[in-house]
Structures are given as C-alpha cells and as structure tokens.
Amino acid sequence: MQRLLQDFSIPAVFAGFITFLIGISVSAILVIQGAQSLGANTAQISSWFWALGLAIGLSGLILSWKYKYPVATAWSTPGIALIIASTGHYDLYEAIGAFLVCGIAIAIVGFSGIFQKLLAHIPQSLTCAMLAGILLKFGIQIFSSLESHLGFILSMLVIYLVSKRLFPRYSIVLTVILGAVICPLFIDFKLQSITWSLTQPVWMQPSFSWSAILGLALPLFVINMTSQNLPGIAMIKSYGYHPHVN
C-alpha cells in the first residue's frame, strides 16, 4: 500500500481514465453492434457488459498489482470486427461456443509457454492480411454514408485531423466527445428516456459446431494473439517494463 501511495499521481490517474474512456466510448459501440449482429437482445447485451466489466476491471487490477507494471486487459476490437463481418453465418449460441474454444486455446498457449515459439511460425503478412480484410468493411461503409451524412462525416474528419495535430494523445477521445456534441446538428434523432437499474446476468447456453470453431474460433485465436497480444507486449516494453511472457 505504501508503494501504491508513492506511485500515485494525477497524470497516472488521468492516463488510466483515458484508457477507460477510449475503451468504453469507441470499442463499446462495436461490442453492441457485434452482439446485435448475432441476435442478442437488450438483456443479453447488458449481461455481456456486466461480465466484460468485471473481467476487465479485476484482471487489470490484479495483474497490475502483482507484476508492478500497467496491464490493461480489454476486448479485442479486431475480434469484434470479425464477429460483425460473420453476421448471418452463426447464431448467438454457436458464437458463444466459439468464444469458449478460443479462450481455452489462448489459455493453453499462455500457460504452456509456447506463445513466442508459436507466433514465430505465423507470417506477419498473413495476420496483417486477415486484419485488413476484416477492417475493410468498416472503411468502405464510411464512403457509403457520405451521400446521406456528408456534413457530419467531414466534420468528424476535420475534428480528428485537428485534434491529432494539436493533442495527439487525446485525439480519439476528443473526436468521440465532439462528435457526440455536433451529431444533433447533422442527424435527426431523439434521445429516449433512460431507466437506471442493476444489470441482471443472463445465462446463455453455448452451442458447439465445427463450422463455428473453424470459421470463428480459429480466426479469433489468431487475430487476438497477433493483433492484440503482440502489440500490447511491445507497448509495455517500449516504456521500459519487462512483461512476463511465456
């Protein structure tokens, strides 16, 4: 506790808050879209966020406390993009089964100590091509929206470029916040009344199929290991820490 108090600082707290805000304000939208694409209802989506919040918060807290360097676990944005791109191929319960298989595979690789050896045999060009193919759909959708929301998209682009130039560390957060502020000026929408209540976890029985395992679990495993874990380890090392990697 004494060490924690010594390391406490306003910039550190602000950095942690920015990490949280970026994850919630940007990636959470994709989580909702991914869940909806699988046919999840409102209660099930809320249950997902309940589980994600507990898992991300507790794992980050425990790992950072144990190893004495910042560890922020999070959902895989490229993985969510893969789920959205797979809309119509799998139902919600098949996807949950694929998530379990992917999680077990990642745990086995992590605990067995073959993480770096395994990645050495996966060409970087292959993983980059997979990631590019998944994200291509989102890039194309921007152009399809230009016809109906030209002013809004151009405004968002200007906000991002200016904030990236002046405040590069906070450009994503500023873009999201200012985008939400100017959105009513370009898009006609109505805010519905919000009812506050505690989230009730919902049990969803997983279903296992070879098509979901091969078509969803396996790509998720490769994408998570290469586009999430490797950059995360590299980022930690860039700040002078020595992460524990098997």
Side-chain angles (χ1 to χ4, degrees), residues 1-9 65:
M1 181 61 68
Q2 184 68 26
R3 176 65 182 275
L4 178 63
L5 294 176
Q6 291 175 352
D7 292 339
F8 179 85
S9 66
W65 185 285

Side-chain angles (χ1 to χ4, degrees), residues 75 141 175-176 232:
W75 46 65
Q141 286 179 343
T175 302
V176 172

Side-chain angles (χ1 to χ4, degrees), residues 36-100:
Q36 290 175 337
S37 69
L38 294 172
N41 56 38
T42 302
Q44 291 171 329
I45 295 175
S46 298
S47 181
W48 272 26
F49 274 101
W50 173 84
L52 284 169
L54 286 178
I56 291 173
L58 290 176
S59 60
L61 176 63
I62 294 172
L63 292 174
S64 298
W65 185 285
K66 176 177 176 59
Y67 293 112
K68 302 301 185 291
Y69 54 78
V71 179
T73 58
W75 46 65
S76 169
T77 302
I80 299 171
L82 172 63
I83 296 170
I84 297 174
S86 303
T87 300
H89 295 85
Y90 316 103
D91 61 30
L92 176 63
Y93 307 101
E94 284 182 313
I96 293 174
F99 299 160
L100 290 175

Side-chain angles (χ1 to χ4, degrees), residues 209-222:
S209 67
W210 282 111
S211 61
I213 291 174
L214 297 177
L216 188 57
L218 183 58
L220 275 176
F221 170 78
V222 175

Side-chain angles (χ1 to χ4, degrees), residues 45-204:
I45 295 175
S46 298
S47 181
W48 272 26
F49 274 101
W50 173 84
L52 284 169
L54 286 178
I56 291 173
L58 290 176
S59 60
L61 176 63
I62 294 172
L63 292 174
S64 298
W65 185 285
K66 176 177 176 59
Y67 293 112
K68 302 301 185 291
Y69 54 78
V71 179
T73 58
W75 46 65
S76 169
T77 302
I80 299 171
L82 172 63
I83 296 170
I84 297 174
S86 303
T87 300
H89 295 85
Y90 316 103
D91 61 30
L92 176 63
Y93 307 101
E94 284 182 313
I96 293 174
F99 299 160
L100 290 175
V101 172
C102 177
I104 292 172
I106 292 176
I108 291 174
V109 170
F111 286 112
S112 64
I114 61 173
F115 177 61
Q116 291 183 323
K117 295 180 181 179
L118 181 63
L119 292 178
H121 296 284
I122 301 178
Q124 186 176 3
S125 58
L126 174 61
T127 58
C128 291
M130 292 178 61
L131 183 59
I134 293 169
L135 299 179
L136 178 63
K137 176 182 178 181
F138 296 91
I140 293 176
Q141 286 179 343
I142 295 177
F143 296 97
S144 63
S145 302
L146 283 174
E147 183 177 354
S148 56
H149 304 298
L150 177 61
F152 179 64
I153 293 176
L154 291 180
S155 299
M156 291 289 291
L157 179 61
V158 171
I159 291 172
Y160 173 75
L161 293 176
V162 173
S163 61
K164 188 69 174 178
R165 175 68 176 176
L166 300 178
F167 310 101
R169 179 177 294 183
Y170 314 113
S171 60
I172 298 297
V173 176
L174 289 174
T175 302
V176 172
I177 294 175
L178 294 178
V181 171
I182 68 172
C183 182
L185 301 177
F186 297 95
I187 301 176
D188 184 22
F189 71 96
K190 296 180 180 179
L191 291 176
Q192 298 180 352
S193 59
I194 299 176
T195 302
W196 299 96
S197 62
L198 294 177
T199 301
Q200 298 295 326
V202 177
W203 172 257
M204 287 168 273

